[in-house]
Amino acid sequence: IIDQNLGDKYFNKAQDDGHGPGVNTGFVIVPKAGSSTITGVQFATANDMPDRDPVRITIEGSNDANAARAQGNGFALIYEGLAGLESDPGRNHWGQVVGFKNTASYKVYRILVTATRGDAADATQYSEVRLGTTIPPVK
């Protein structure tokens, strides 16, 4: 999901009690640049199944030494809201850049999908995610 290849996709159909498949799933990333302050996110759709597109997400940050490990902790909520894919841009295309206020720097970030486009979606999927302070347009 962070390989700059719109042809690859992240697919997850894990399910917990009370949520549809793929909801409350996501990933943890440790930026190569080290501690950073992010104020924007952009998702790109995968190759098929628009109902699986994430439409709501959370972004959390942590400086805890164990944050990047399984069951990592110390995360603080940075953003909760739209994912930029509310309007379907088509398959394997970038959605809208979503900006948000944040002044805290973190070493580790966790992104979770909290809702997908389709109420009856059997999973969530996307091909790319970009995080940053300034997200340039894709050429």
Side-chain angles (χ1 to χ4, degrees), residues 82-101:
L82 299 174
L85 295 176
E86 302 72 53
S87 296
D88 185 355
R91 302 297 86 207
N92 295 104
H93 284 85
W94 287 101
Q96 296 295 312
V97 173
V98 176
F100 48 88
K101 293 184 181 201

Side-chain angles (χ1 to χ4, degrees), residues 13-49:
K13 64 179 192 174
Q15 188 170 3
D16 63 4
D17 292 336
H19 296 97
V23 173
N24 291 333
T25 66
F27 63 95
V28 170
I29 183 167
V30 180
K32 289 181 183 179
S35 185
S36 59
T37 304
I38 65 164
T39 58
V41 63
Q42 185 179 30
F43 277 80
T45 59
N47 64 321
D48 62 2
M49 307 295 288

